[in-house]
Amino acid sequence: MAEGRYDAIVVGAGFAGLYALHRLRGLGLSVRVLEAGGGVGGTWYWNRYPGARCDIESVDYSYSFSEELEQEWTWSERYPAQPELQRYLDHVADRFDLRRDIQLDTRVTDARFDEAAGRWSIGTEDGDRFDATYCVMATGMLSVLKRPDLPGLDRFEGDWVHTARWPAEGVPLAGRRVGIVGTGSTGIQAATAIAGQAGHLHVFQRTPNFSLPARNRPLTAAEERGIKAAYAERRRQARASFIGVPSSPGDQPAVDVDAAERAQAFEARWEQGGLALMSAFTDLLTSREANEHAAEFVRGKIGETVKNAAVAERLMPRGYAIGTKRLCVDTGYFDIFNRADVTLVDVRRTPIEAVTPRGLRTAEAEYDLDVLVFATGFDAMTGALLDIDIRGRGDASLRAEWADGPRTYLGLAAAGFPNLFIVTGPGSPSVLSNMVLSIEQHVDWIADCIAHLGERGLGCIEATPEAQDAWVATVAEVAGYTLHGAADSWYNGANIPGKPRVYMPFIGGVAEYRRICDGVAAAGYEGFALTAPPEPAPALASTTRR
Ligand code: FAD
Ligand code: NAP
């Protein structure tokens, strides 16, 4: 059993863990990152399925903390694919000499706060224990996959794989009969990439999704020069926006303009590509009528693309508001249904009953398959945190505290769990935003907070129950102004049987959220209790703020 004593333990080595290590090390703290995977990169290490790609533009979905990094890295495309993002994160790990403090293949199983020492004791699957003043959970919001829960899977004689555990060596697809279950962002990307490679592809769709064209393309050298010359301003605009990307949102409600003007605005943003459509008007997520106009526009596009009218109809999402399940972005998804070697199976109408040794059986038919791909998603936002047995003051368990849904102050901390920080946790804009921007904001806030404690000889910070209660109420209140509550989505736990139904992210926008967090810090960490720890606080070599 190995043991280690550090100022800070960071769990996870994705975008969040890598930057947390860099910042905390910059304060002069001794830091160890514990990562379950065999490499760095988090999401982009695990999700190697065909077609995996980000849907925030590369030049925005990237670190802003180092001007040198920004200037020296060249993105090849508007939306980077998984291999390029993996290369980028490997480069960051090397360039900032992060690897020497990262321990791979190490899964954290428990974290216990020792009140007498004022320190966290962190245990791993291999029985090692680490001990630290601060514990930063950079475990990811979409890192615990939803395992396929279909009877008979263990008897399937072909190959099966979840997209979030796609093997590095790949899965042979050429000429084989492939079935894919799930049509969220992942399923849509994977099906598009697999169609044409497979001998035949069956897409098993339960809920049709709204998907918008990415309009991906290579970035030209001239574009790159232009972006790099004005990067600081671009980042400023992203921070001042709602979801964390530079944007020019419409300033009128859709219900106040006539049909022709609406169609023109939707069409322009459809052509622009990516998620732009949803910022065409101010009321698309608050007014049912406005939302229905956008939904109808997208359904119309599906109808224009898919030649078989019955198939097109089955692909058209109905019964929930556009944008209340995570919007998908695709490159030619709906076109694949015009191919003779792709079949859509509506498993809402004819539910999947079982996996058989030869394939998949629905209420109506049996499909012979060589490969089954599960794009069935994640136990989002709380999954990775609750997989770890986290015990705070008085041995209180986070699992018990969150039994009715996550409770945090600002999505950063939980009352009763001193010196435990969560990066992009439930109660922050997190998954509703450009996550790299939100990760940097959280890590900067955490590092500045630790610097503040160090300067004052304090070493213990804890959210008060009152501040947490008020924040939980605010998150719910803001969500209540939108159409989000009504949809079944992973945003509110509806995808996991038995999970409490609580809208988890803060939907007030990244600019407003940053203002609130900065205000809390400026007021001496309002809503937190700051105390001296039983043991001396870690000495800081530097208290440099960003
Ligand atoms: P992650 O990248 O998930 O890293 C967390 C790490 O923690 C993982 O490596 C995991 O192995 C490790 N870990 C978890 N639990 C433990 C434990 N108990 N012990 C040890 N290690 C542990 N966001 C966007 O903003 N735009 C996009 O276009 C976008 N595309 C996405 C595409 C896919 C396929 C997926 C799944 C997510 C996407 N996201 C996107 C969200 C994405 O998760 C974030 O953008 C970002 O990569 C999260 O970084 P992170 O470091 O917080 O978490
Ligand atoms: P997801 O959005 O939760 O989609 C899971 C899909 O699997 C849904 O279509 C779901 O249907 C289906 N499903 C689950 N269990 C099923 C079952 N037993 N039978 C039939 N169908 C079943 O998961 P995801 O697609 O992996 O995406 C998760 C998130 O990751 C995204 O929302 C996004 O934030 C991020 N992501 C982003 C990108 C990108 O383009 N940047 C790509 C991939 C992922 P129901 O809807 O009916 O439950």
Side-chain angles (χ1 to χ4, degrees):
M1 292 212 315
E3 284 188 9
R5 192 176 161 85
Y6 296 90
D7 295 328
I9 289 289
V10 175
V11 188
F15 265 105
L18 293 177
Y19 184 45
L21 169 57
H22 178 68
R23 278 299 323 265
L24 298 184
R25 199 197 257 173
L27 295 176
L29 300 183
S30 61
V31 187
R32 192 83 180 150
V33 178
L34 306 176
E35 164 58 56
V40 302
T43 288
W44 304 106
Y45 168 84
W46 293 110
N47 288 267
R48 301 173 187 175
Y49 60 86
R53 188 180 289 283
C54 142
D55 63 7
I56 300 283
E57 295 191 36
S58 50
V59 292
D60 301 313
Y61 188 77
S62 49
Y63 289 119
S64 71
F65 70 84
S66 160
E67 213 182 307
E68 295 78 20
L69 173 66
E70 254 175 10
Q71 293 297 325
E72 74 198 14
W73 184 263
T74 294
W75 292 105
S76 68
E77 290 180 280
R78 184 178 181 197
Y79 298 103
Q82 176 271 333
E84 189 167 8
L85 282 158
Q86 175 73 72
R87 277 199 302 282
Y88 173 73
L89 288 161
D90 273 322
H91 170 74
V92 168
D94 292 332
R95 190 187 186 295
F96 297 95
D97 187 23
L98 300 178
R99 292 190 199 272
R100 64 186 158 92
D101 289 325
I102 301 174
Q103 186 168 321
L104 300 172
D105 298 310
T106 304
R107 179 168 293 282
V108 169
T109 49
D110 70 273
R112 291 160 197 280
F113 186 66
D114 174 347
E115 285 188 64
R119 294 175 67 83
W120 282 92
S121 168
I122 290 142
T124 74
E125 211 167 42
D126 294 335
D128 296 340
R129 292 215 77 82
F130 297 83
D131 172 290
T133 304
Y134 301 108
C135 180
V136 178
M137 290 297 181
T139 43
M141 296 295 109
L142 294 159
S143 57
V144 173
L145 55 87
K146 182 186 167 192
R147 295 196 174 276
D149 47 3
L150 299 171
L153 185 56
D154 50 339
R155 285 183 288 117
F156 181 54
E157 287 166 1
D159 299 326
W160 73 266
V161 60
H162 190 288
T163 45
R165 292 294 177 273
W166 200 271
E169 63 278 13
V171 177
L173 298 169
R176 300 177 84 195
R177 298 164 302 178
V178 180
I180 183 164
V181 179
T183 51
S185 300
T186 300
I188 281 176
Q189 287 183 332
T192 309
I194 294 170
Q197 283 188 58
H200 197 98
L201 174 67
H202 281 91
V203 178
F204 296 94
Q205 169 195 272
R206 188 163 65 186
T207 309
N209 252 305
F210 290 100
S211 189
L212 310 174
R215 313 244 179 256
N216 189 31
R217 53 181 171 72
L219 283 179
T220 65
E223 273 177 296
E224 183 188 351
R225 275 195 302 278
I227 289 163
K228 286 184 174 175
Y231 228 143
E233 173 56 18
R234 188 178 181 104
R235 300 293 197 183
R236 192 198 61 71
Q237 287 177 17
R239 291 185 191 114
S241 73
F242 196 77
I243 70 159
V245 294
S247 58
S248 39
D251 55 5
Q252 299 187 83
V255 293
D256 285 359
V257 303
D258 63 27
E261 196 176 333
R262 257 194 319 266
Q264 197 183 27
F266 286 141
E267 194 65 48
R269 285 171 192 265
W270 179 266
E271 284 309 313
Q272 195 181 326
L275 300 163
L277 185 100
M278 290 307 284
S279 52
F281 295 101
T282 55
D283 54 351
L284 296 182
L285 279 172
T286 50
S287 153
R288 254 185 201 292
E289 186 189 341
N291 188 281
E292 187 52 23
H293 288 309
E296 197 47 38
F297 175 83
V298 177
R299 286 193 287 264
K301 292 291 184 188
I302 297 171
E304 284 168 24
T305 308
V306 180
K307 296 196 173 76
N308 180 317
V311 174
E313 182 56 36
R314 263 181 270 142
L315 286 163
M316 290 180 193
R318 297 188 192 279
Y320 66 92
I322 181 171
T324 57
K325 281 164 96 75
R326 170 64 153 80
L327 263 178
C328 304
V329 172
D330 73 273
T331 300
Y333 173 62
F334 294 110
D335 298 282
I336 68 171
F337 297 99
N338 294 327
R339 302 177 61 103
D341 55 7
V342 175
T343 305
L344 180 71
V345 183
D346 179 349
V347 296
R348 170 81 62 199
R349 198 176 58 80
T350 58
I352 298 172
E353 289 185 338
V355 178
T356 67
R358 291 173 44 185
L360 205 66
R361 192 178 70 233
T362 69
E364 204 170 67
E366 181 157 356
Y367 298 87
D368 286 350
L369 301 168
D370 302 310
V371 184
L372 244 178
V373 176
F374 291 101
T376 42
F378 299 89
D379 183 355
M381 303 208 77
T382 54
L385 290 164
L386 298 183
D387 260 7
I388 303 173
D389 185 11
I390 303 178
R391 303 286 173 141
R393 266 190 210 289
D395 204 34
S397 137
L398 193 72
R399 288 175 186 157
E401 298 283 321
W402 287 13
D404 296 326
R407 300 183 64 75
T408 69
Y409 181 36
L410 302 173
L412 272 161
F417 298 83
N419 288 359
L420 182 86
F421 296 101
I422 306 167
V423 185
T424 62
S428 73
S430 184
V431 292
L432 297 176
S433 68
N434 166 5
M435 286 202 72
V436 180
L437 179 139
S438 288
I439 284 166
E440 283 194 320
Q441 186 244 334
H442 263 190
V443 171
D444 285 337
W445 191 96
I446 292 164
D448 289 352
C449 170
I450 290 174
H452 176 96
L453 295 171
E455 282 162 354
R456 285 158 185 76
L458 302 170
C460 193
I461 182 164
E462 182 176 355
T464 66
E466 297 75 25
Q468 176 168 288
D469 288 349
W471 184 250
V472 169
T474 300
V475 171
E477 185 189 346
V478 180
Y481 297 138
T482 73
L483 301 172
H484 269 276
D488 286 338
S489 83
W490 58 257
Y491 291 143
N492 57 27
N495 66 326
I496 303 291
K499 191 164 170 170
R501 193 159 170 147
V502 172
Y503 193 77
M504 295 182 279
F506 171 67
I507 193 172
V510 299
E512 173 62 6
Y513 176 76
R514 183 185 295 266
R515 194 191 61 72
I516 294 168
C517 291
D518 289 350
V520 164
Y525 293 89
E526 194 175 13
F528 288 95
L530 276 57
T531 49
E535 291 189 11
L540 302 182
S542 147
T543 52
T544 313
R545 306 284 205 280
R546 271 189 35 90

